[in-house]
Amino acid sequence: MNEIQTLMQSLGLPASAYSEGTLKVRSPIDGAALGAVHEASAAEMQAAVGRAHAAHLSWRNVPAPRRGELVRLFGEELRLHKQDLARLVSLEAGKVTSEGEGEVQEMIDICDFAVGLSRQLHGLTIASERPGHRMMEQWLPLGVVGIISAFNFPVAVWAWNSALALVCGNSCVWKPSEKTPLTALATQALFDKALARFEGAPAHLSQVLNGGAAVGEALVDDHRVALVSATGSTRMGRAVAPKVAARFGRCLLELGGNNAIIVSPSADLELAVRGILFGAYGTAGQRCTTTRRVIIHESIHDELVARLDRARAQLKIGSPIEAGTLIGPLIDPAAFDAMQKALAAAREQGGEVSGGERALAAQYPNAWYATPALVRMPAQTAVVKQETFAPILYTLKYKSLDEAIALQNDVPQGLSSAIFTNDLREAELFVSAAGSDCGIANVNIGTSGAEIGGAFGGEKETGGGRESGSDAWRAYMRRATNTVNYSSALPLAQGVKFDI
């Protein structure tokens, strides 16, 4: 029995679930075949949405704290199977071991958050201008939540959405990336284990359907899907959002990022180097929160760039399941090609490129590893303003903090940002209304690795959505304002008279 068979058996999946389909799955580690899963049709997606709608009609009547109990049980299953699911994430998505484990831990954490949330789905009591009346606000279950996830976080982003959606009284239909279907199937199997331990839940609360664009389009177009939460490229968001808007549905978009770190003269450079390195090169640069630009004060620019270049060259590239590896593979050859095109454009636009070559080609001829690239740019040119999902870090100089903030904000995306400074005034300006225009603005930490307690998302071409913590749960509910008249009179608001 090979490793995939062992993992899938432990996670509760029969061999037929991952070996008898037409969607071929290969590991980015070495190009080896991992399985073949069933590709759903548009008709199958429509049938799944129908089942999810029926499940919601029942689930919405279950008290929210009881709904939280199901999510708690799912969190228990994740704890029991953390190592196996994390290993599968590494094999299928190419993440290094600690990042695969961190992703499953993120799932566990959001389950814990959602369980607590299930007792805090509160509204308001509002003073009424009419005697003998009470006005209040409720948050009520929304309906079917469609979840479209990307390869780089193949399970955590689903958990962010589904854990909140379920405690809010909704059902979920998941269309994962075609590049990571096995982790989705395994996650669904663990959810089914939790469901089997829970009394009174309807069937089909959570469903996963693998497939290509036609399956995603069927999910997006179905009027029974109240909310579409889509994570991916800005191009994908431009296709999804108008379709959902045309039927007056809701969209929660988590799209591209082009994240910058500003490093001021007062910064702790040791701290900055560490934050920049993980931000730029962790997950082989394949995070929406990856640090793609570092904007450095001219007085420390050369010193910091030299330190970054030395550290970059020491990062261990290799199989993500080997101890000590920090940089794993790009997901596929198209990602490597996109990286090479971006580096060629950077050279044409005056950039000085270090690194960026293909690595380990002799050892892994069917995989796509690349050395991390550091690109010294004379200005924020067109290529710097584009998001390339690869380990490329552009460096820029600035003179004044106002100039640095303007550079940071002068890109179409608005997800994550950071400043390294020991100057309180600089830090406060950066997080003020006159500072970063991103959904995430950090001080003395990098752009990547957000905690689940805060709302996650960004502005501009990032899509404006918010997931995970804080009050992101409200996206999964509908708001109702209620007025109760407990008097024997019927006064109208604003003093309007309509007496017979």
Side-chain angles (χ1 to χ4, degrees):
M1 186 179 290
N2 64 31
E3 185 174 13
I4 286 293
Q5 291 173 321
T6 302
L7 286 173
M8 290 304 208
Q9 185 178 75
S10 172
L11 292 165
L13 276 170
S16 59
Y18 60 91
S19 63
E20 297 179 2
T22 55
L23 178 58
K24 308 297 182 185
V25 188
R26 294 189 176 275
S27 174
I29 296 173
D30 55 8
L34 298 179
V37 305
H38 172 68
E39 293 181 85
S41 65
E44 287 175 301
M45 175 58 81
Q46 291 163 357
V49 171
R51 294 190 296 268
H53 179 65
H56 159 69
L57 295 180
S58 171
W59 187 238
R60 67 184 179 178
N61 295 319
V62 175
R66 180 70 182 145
R67 299 193 297 251
E69 173 63 9
L70 173 59
V71 176
R72 188 190 71 78
L73 293 173
F74 178 51
E76 283 187 354
E77 294 296 336
L78 289 172
R79 284 179 168 87
L80 288 171
H81 297 89
K82 177 179 176 179
Q83 297 304 318
D84 287 342
L85 185 57
R87 181 74 169 189
L88 186 58
V89 168
S90 291
L91 291 172
E92 190 175 39
K95 288 192 169 187
V96 300
T97 298
S98 66
E99 289 193 57
E101 292 174 352
E103 179 157 358
V104 181
Q105 185 60 49
E106 210 169 332
M107 300 173 77
I108 294 167
D109 292 345
I110 197 65
C111 285
D112 287 350
F113 179 91
V115 172
L117 177 65
S118 70
R119 294 181 180 272
Q120 300 180 67
L121 299 174
H122 52 77
L124 299 170
T125 298
I126 304 164
S128 173
E129 67 183 66
R130 290 172 283 190
H133 286 59
R134 178 170 62 86
M135 187 160 51
M136 66 179 184
E137 178 182 271
Q138 292 189 84
W139 292 88
L140 303 170
L142 182 64
V144 179
V145 174
I147 303 168
I148 299 173
S149 60
F151 77 87
N152 59 328
F153 279 86
V155 288
V157 168
W158 171 83
W160 286 0
N161 284 275
S162 62
L164 298 191
L166 287 165
V167 299
C168 289
N170 308 309
S171 57
C172 301
V173 181
W174 181 15
K175 193 276 181 197
S177 168
E178 304 96 298
K179 298 172 185 177
T180 51
L182 298 184
T183 46
L185 292 173
T187 299
Q188 181 64 49
L190 293 181
F191 181 82
D192 289 342
K193 287 185 178 183
L195 199 62
R197 298 168 57 195
F198 184 90
E199 291 184 13
H204 311 302
L205 265 182
S206 173
Q207 301 169 81
V208 58
L209 283 84
N210 286 300
V215 181
E217 288 172 6
L219 179 65
V220 166
D221 290 340
D222 199 310
H223 72 276
R224 296 168 296 180
V225 179
L227 170 68
V228 174
S229 177
T231 301
S233 67
T234 299
R235 178 188 57 79
M236 181 271 289
R238 285 199 175 99
V240 168
K243 286 176 172 287
V244 178
R247 59 176 180 81
F248 297 101
R250 291 192 197 176
C251 251
L252 197 167
L253 298 175
E254 297 289 357
L255 308 175
N258 191 350
N259 316 295
I261 291 177
I262 296 170
V263 185
S264 86
S266 69
D268 180 333
L269 293 190
E270 197 67 38
L271 202 64
V273 167
R274 291 169 57 198
I276 294 165
L277 282 177
F278 175 68
Y281 303 130
T283 325
Q286 298 172 117
R287 288 181 176 227
C288 54
T289 53
T290 288
T291 305
R292 309 209 178 274
R293 301 170 292 143
V294 57
I295 303 167
I296 310 167
H297 191 269
E298 60 184 4
S299 65
I300 57 170
H301 176 273
D302 292 350
E303 177 190 355
L304 180 56
V305 170
R307 292 173 72 163
L308 288 170
D309 207 14
R310 288 194 298 270
R312 172 197 66 82
Q314 295 170 14
L315 297 172
K316 182 181 176 182
I317 306 167
S319 168
I321 58 177
E322 291 180 0
T325 295
L326 294 175
I327 309 294
L330 292 167
I331 191 66
D332 57 23
F336 181 80
D337 290 345
M339 180 180 182
Q340 299 312 302
K341 288 177 183 176
L343 293 176
R347 291 186 182 97
E348 291 174 1
Q349 294 166 26
E352 179 187 339
V353 178
S354 300
E357 309 88 2
R358 188 174 180 187
L360 308 179
Q363 184 177 356
Y364 299 111
N366 297 315
W368 299 89
Y369 294 82
T371 61
L374 183 70
V375 186
R376 300 163 180 84
M377 293 299 295
Q380 188 156 268
T381 62
V383 72
V384 182
K385 293 184 179 184
Q386 299 168 3
E387 180 188 38
T388 303
F389 230 50
I392 301 174
L393 178 65
Y394 301 104
T395 72
L396 300 160
K397 290 182 183 179
Y398 78 90
K399 294 186 180 190
S400 71
L401 184 57
D402 287 343
E403 177 192 0
I405 291 172
L407 275 172
Q408 182 208 271
N409 293 346
D410 187 27
V411 293
Q413 310 85 357
L415 178 52
S416 188
S417 59
I419 187 170
F420 278 84
T421 180
N422 285 327
D423 185 317
L424 179 62
R425 288 177 174 169
E426 289 185 334
E428 290 294 335
L429 175 62
F430 181 75
V431 299
S432 76
S436 168
D437 66 359
C438 295
I440 299 169
N442 296 329
V443 177
N444 290 332
I445 62 170
T447 61
S448 201
E451 298 179 38
I452 60 96
F456 180 90
E459 303 302 324
K460 302 187 292 189
E461 287 189 2
T462 302
R466 293 296 184 275
E467 294 172 333
S468 194
S470 185
D471 65 349
W473 60 270
R474 296 187 178 194
Y476 306 88
M477 304 200 83
R478 61 181 179 87
R479 187 197 307 244
T481 301
N482 313 125
T483 301
V484 178
N485 179 5
Y486 58 90
S487 75
S488 58
L490 193 65
L492 300 178
Q494 293 86 46
V496 172
K497 299 296 183 182
F498 198 78
D499 296 327
I500 299 176

